[in-house]
């Protein structure tokens, strides 16, 4: 605890004493991250303001800093100051600003503290500007000067140092799997049932969010049970099992590449043919869509979400489900990184409709869904916790309106945030992964 | 004297387009990202969606929630394009019928009303002022002046010198300020469609709704 406090104090001091070298570093990194698409976007915003009430931050707190166009303008101003031949000559007239100390502070507060990179503003932008990706580029520039807020940076550092973001040792990981395996054997009544580790030549390499091992072991058991029922050939890696990638949120492409690269290494070492990503929104976006760009490689294997795999099992009749085993009303929260930014939209719906008796959508849903407030690294940045809970109010209201007793969501970050919202807004619901619900309906 | 203004308009238009082309070259002087992740949807379908259905109020919450602003934006931009066309017909001595003139009058007049409305909105609403710079107000004002004199001319008033002056000022300002978004808009929409199309998000496979 004191170490976290010390980190915070050091960070504050660092921000306070930012000088010329940091400015240059941030600006250099920002320039390096720009490509023609970003440059085009940065010339496009007409400040129409229609994005304002697409953002859950603005809808729950009408502060100027919460307007997506305002957030974007912080990036655009610096871009104009560096690259726009006219704005350079008349910065005030054209709204250009240098990346000075004040601007860096604003970048930290607004771009880290008032955005979950959910992308809802982008789909509502008149022009179609990819606002979260531009904000991420600016975050990356701050990361190059060590200015990522401490909680988020610690998560990245732990993942880089220990191999997973919770710092779980190999010994603890193996021990957890061992007792979960015993429970699976007991539940299935089959001594051959198992949670294989480092088994070579399997079809699937399955990954987890380390929070599952620490706090939600039922999620791991659930997938184990589904794989068992489907007769799947699969394995975990004892070394590289972490699907999360907080480099996506800190904007640090190098760190993000290292994390995703480990999963690829594990897949190759274990000679598996598919990388299966656990129910983790940003883990999916990172490893399915972004990692090939961070690493500049084309994968020689398939990457799928566990939801796609379960969908396939149901379609092919490899698992049998009895929805009567899940009688209570279930609704679904769409994680932004998986749905709006990942394209995994219908699988979870199909799966839930086959697994529960009473499934209801919340509105809006799918690509138009509201962020729960837990993305963008917000859960790791305690300094912005109050805003995060406030921004989650819309999600709480959406859930209330459905009358559901269970909220399913294929993302552990969302689960953490929804659990806090559940408590804060007294929703009285249970929060589960999709796999947990499927496992409850599986007929062995 | 008028002939000099006429040349002035043509020259400023050429200069404007040249500067915009320069800006586009400058934009593409940055590297172009090459994507390695295999697509799960169609870029082409995504782009078609982005340029069509994806801009409709039933697909886009911001348009649905702000129908008046959305409609004003459509009329404003349609009228601006009509006014430019009208100006070029005049510059090159193309005679128009009274029927064509009345179409121009309707388009330009509605654009002017919408433009003034949008300017008023930007001036009066706190959140709009917060996201605006002087450029936003100057851009809108220059366009509105150009529309106003286009309209006067269409009604037969002898305002050519003012009309041409407004056009010259507008053309010279276009590449400098935010009006350049008219050049980048289509490219941005294509990028949007391409991004979400590749990822299999758009076009949506199942209808999603707001309520």
């Amino acid at each position: 605890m004191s170490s976290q406090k010390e980190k915070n104090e050091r960070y504050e001091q660092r921000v306070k004493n930012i000088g010329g070298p940091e400015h240059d570093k941030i600006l250099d990194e920002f320039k390096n991250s720009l490509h023609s698409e970003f440059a085009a976007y940065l010339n496009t915003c007409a400040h129409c303001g229609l994005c304002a009430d697409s953002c859950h931050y603005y809808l729950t707190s009408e502060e100027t800093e919460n307007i997506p166009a305002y957030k974007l303008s912080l990036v655009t101003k610096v871009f104009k100051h560096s690259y726009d031949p006219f704005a350079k000559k008349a910065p005030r007239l054209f709204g250009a600003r240098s990346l000075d100390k004040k601007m860096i502070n604003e970048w930290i507060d607004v771009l880290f503290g008032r955005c979950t990179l959910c992308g809802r503003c982008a789909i509502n932008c008149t022009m179609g500007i990819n606002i979260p990706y531009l904000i991420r580029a600016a975050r990356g520039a701050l990361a190059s000067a060590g200015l990522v807020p401490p909680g988020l940076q610690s998560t990245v550092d732990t993942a880089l140092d220990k191999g997973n973001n919770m710092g779980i040792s190999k010994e603890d990981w193996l021990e957890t799997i061992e007792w979960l395996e015993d429970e699976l054997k007991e539940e299935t009544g089959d001594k051959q049932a198992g949670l294989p580790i480092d088994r070579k030549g399997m079809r699937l390499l399955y990954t987890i969010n380390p929070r599952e091992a620490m706090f939600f072991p039922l999620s791991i058991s659930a997938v184990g049970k589904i794989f068992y029922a489907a007769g799947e050939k699969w394995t975990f890696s004892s070394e590289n099992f972490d699907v999360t990638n907080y480099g996506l949120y800190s904007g640090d492409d190098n760190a993000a590449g290292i994390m995703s690269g480990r999963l690829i290494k594990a897949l190759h070492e274990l000679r598996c043919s598919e990388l299966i990503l656990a129910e983790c929104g940003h883990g999916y976006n990172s490893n399915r869509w972004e990692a090939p760009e961070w690493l500049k490689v084309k994968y020689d294997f398939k990457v799928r979400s566990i939801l796609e795999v379960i969908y396939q099992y149901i379609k092919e009749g490899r698992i049998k489900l009895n929805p009567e085993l899940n009688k209570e009303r279930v609704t679904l929260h769409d994680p932004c990184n998986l749905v709006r930014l990942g394209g995994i939209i219908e699988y979870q719906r199909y799966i839930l409709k086959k697994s529960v008796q009473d499934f209801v959508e919340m509105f809006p849903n799918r690509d138009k869904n509201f962020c729960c407030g837990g993305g963008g690294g917000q859960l790791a940045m305690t300094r912005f916790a109050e805003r995060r809970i406030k921004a989650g109010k819309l999600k709480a209201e959406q859930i209330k309106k459905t009358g559901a007793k269970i909220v399913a969501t294929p993302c552990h970050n969302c689960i953490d945030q929804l659990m806090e919202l559940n408590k804060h807004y007294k929703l009285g619901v249970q929060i589960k992964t999709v796999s947990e619900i499927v496992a409850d309906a599986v007929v062995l | 004297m008028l002939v000099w203004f006429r040349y002035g308009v043509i020259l400023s238009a050429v200069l404007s387009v040249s500067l915009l082309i320069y800006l586009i070259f400058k934009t593409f002087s940055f590297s172009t990202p090459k994507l390695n992740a295999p697509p799960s949807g169609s870029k082409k379908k995504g782009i078609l969606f982005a340029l069509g259905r994806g801009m409709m109020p039933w697909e886009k919450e911001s348009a649905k929630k702000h129908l008046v602003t959305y409609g004003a934006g459509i009329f404003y931009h349609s009228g601006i394009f009509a006014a430019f066309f009208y100006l070029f017909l005049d510059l090159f001595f193309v005679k128009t019928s009274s029927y064509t003139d009345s179409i121009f009058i309707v388009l330009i007049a509605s654009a002017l009303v919408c433009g003034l409305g949008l300017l008023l909105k930007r001036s009066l609403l706190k959140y709009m002022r917060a996201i605006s710079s002087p450029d936003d107000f100057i851009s809108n004002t220059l366009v509105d002046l150009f529309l106003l004199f286009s309209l006067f001319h269409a009604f037969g008033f002898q305002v050519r010198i003012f009309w041409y002056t407004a056009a010259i000022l507008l053309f010279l300002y276009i590449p400098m300020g935010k009006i350049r978004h008219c050049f980048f808009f289509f490219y941005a929409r294509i990028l949007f469609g391409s991004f979400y199309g590749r990822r299999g998000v758009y076009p949506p496979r199942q209808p999603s709704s707001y309520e």
Side-chain angles (χ1 to χ4, degrees), chain A residues 101-173:
Chain A
K101 200 171 181 172
K102 199 176 161 207
M103 185 58 125
I104 291 173
N105 273 286
E106 215 174 342
W107 269 26
I108 293 169
D109 181 70
V110 176
L111 306 184
F112 275 110
R114 296 176 186 270
C115 178
T116 53
L117 305 176
C118 77
R120 199 166 192 275
C121 51
I123 66 161
N124 280 293
C125 171
T126 309
M127 310 290 166
I129 301 171
N130 199 337
I131 300 171
Y133 276 63
L134 291 164
I135 290 180
R136 184 181 179 272
R139 284 186 176 196
L142 291 171
S144 71
L147 292 174
V148 175
L152 179 54
Q153 189 58 50
S154 296
T155 313
V156 173
D157 292 343
T158 306
L160 290 175
D161 294 345
K162 313 273 183 189
N164 63 82
N165 76 24
M166 300 292 293
I168 300 169
S169 67
K170 185 174 175 179
E171 200 179 42
D172 286 346
W173 168 230

Side-chain angles (χ1 to χ4, degrees), chain B:
Chain B
M1 172 128 150
L2 194 64
V3 72
W4 292 110
F5 275 91
R6 197 180 293 272
Y7 284 136
V9 175
I10 295 168
L11 271 178
S12 59
V14 170
L15 186 64
S16 184
V17 172
S18 308
L19 283 171
L20 283 167
I21 291 170
Y22 164 72
L23 283 175
I24 290 168
F25 270 113
K26 212 165 150 45
T27 301
F28 283 97
S29 68
F30 290 97
S31 63
T32 305
K34 284 194 177 73
L35 299 176
N36 295 303
S40 63
S42 157
K43 244 165 106 161
K44 206 169 124 189
K45 284 182 184 172
I47 292 169
L48 286 174
F49 176 82
L51 294 172
R53 211 175 99 207
M55 290 197 283
M56 297 297 127
W58 54 90
E59 282 293 349
K60 201 169 184 173
E61 186 189 74
S62 56
K64 190 183 171 187
K65 273 188 177 175
H66 300 276
L67 267 180
V68 175
T69 305
Y70 175 77
I74 290 173
F75 281 114
Y76 190 39
H77 289 86
S78 309
I80 294 167
F81 282 112
F84 277 132
F85 188 55
Y86 187 55
L87 174 74
F88 280 94
L89 291 180
D90 180 79
L91 286 175
F92 296 104
F93 306 105
V94 179
K95 293 273 176 232
T96 50
S97 67
S98 59
Y99 175 71
T100 321
D101 278 349
S102 52
I103 294 175
F104 277 121
I105 286 172
V106 170
L107 286 171
I108 296 169
S110 53
L112 181 60
V113 171
C114 294
L116 290 171
L118 292 171
L119 184 61
L120 210 61
K121 182 183 173 188
R122 190 176 292 283
S123 311
L124 295 180
L125 298 181
K126 193 183 156 207
Y127 86 95
M128 287 301 291
R129 285 199 305 273
I131 57 169
S132 303
S133 65
D135 172 36
D136 291 290
F137 295 97
I138 294 171
S139 299
N140 192 319
T141 307
L142 282 176
V143 171
D144 292 349
L145 277 175
F146 172 63
L147 290 171
L148 180 72
F149 288 117
S150 306
L151 193 64
F152 281 161
H153 176 77
F155 276 122
F157 292 104
Q158 296 303 310
V159 289
R160 262 211 181 86
I161 286 183
F162 297 107
W163 185 28
Y164 286 176
T165 307
I168 291 169
L169 290 175
L170 180 59
F171 278 130
L172 291 178
Y173 194 78
I174 286 174
M176 289 194 249
K178 79 158 196 184
I179 310 176
R180 68 170 76 145
H181 76 259
C182 61
F183 249 60
F184 286 95
F185 168 77
F186 295 100
Y187 183 53
R189 289 305 295 174
I190 288 168
L191 290 177
F192 173 86
S194 163
F195 180 88
Y196 289 100
R198 271 187 83 239
R199 294 187 177 213
V201 178
Y202 293 137
R205 285 169 203 177
Q206 294 285 324
S208 50
S209 59
Y210 293 107
E211 54 213 39

Side-chain angles (χ1 to χ4, degrees), chain A residues 224-383:
Chain A
K225 187 176 170 187
I226 295 166
F227 281 150
Y228 170 79
E232 188 56 80
K233 289 180 176 167
W234 69 286
T235 187
F236 282 122
S237 161
S238 61
E239 301 277 353
N240 298 306
F241 52 84
D242 184 357
V243 71
T244 70
N245 193 322
Y246 276 70
L248 179 77
Y249 293 147
S250 72
D252 184 344
D253 285 358
N254 286 333
I258 292 170
M259 288 180 242
S260 288
R262 286 173 178 162
L263 295 181
I264 300 171
K265 183 173 164 259
L267 180 122
H268 284 140
E269 280 173 0
L270 293 169
R271 301 196 308 272
C272 297
S273 46
E274 280 191 46
L275 179 64
I276 304 301
L277 308 170
E279 295 185 51
C280 176
H282 86 276
Y284 182 81
N285 189 12
S286 298
N287 294 298
R288 167 65 178 87
W289 291 109
E290 302 300 338
E293 319 314 335
W294 295 328
L295 297 163
K296 297 182 175 55
V297 292
K298 284 191 193 294
Y299 287 162
D300 53 0
F301 52 89
K302 262 175 109 172
V303 182
R304 287 197 294 166
S305 158
I306 183 68
L307 298 172
E308 294 172 271
V309 177
I310 297 173
Y311 168 85
Q312 191 187 359
Y313 292 160
I314 300 172
K315 279 275 184 191
E316 290 174 356
R318 285 175 66 179
I319 57 173
K320 287 195 170 50
L321 300 171
N322 180 4
E324 284 180 17
L325 295 170
N326 287 314
K327 288 190 195 308
E328 288 190 299
R329 176 173 284 187
V330 176
T331 190
L332 174 69
H333 162 65
D334 287 303
C336 311
N337 271 291
L338 185 77
V339 177
R340 188 158 41 238
L341 293 165
I344 300 293
I345 303 170
E346 299 304 326
Y347 300 106
Q348 54 271 44
R349 295 180 155 75
Y350 178 86
I351 295 167
L352 286 173
K353 281 173 190 167
K354 294 282 177 187
S355 308
V356 306
Q357 269 191 331
D358 185 8
F359 172 70
V360 289
E361 288 280 7
M362 57 176 85
F363 295 96
N365 56 48
R366 295 180 169 87
D367 54 297
K368 297 173 177 65
N369 193 29
F370 278 111
C371 175
C372 62
Q378 294 303 329
L379 281 156
M381 296 184 280
T382 44
R383 60 178 49 216

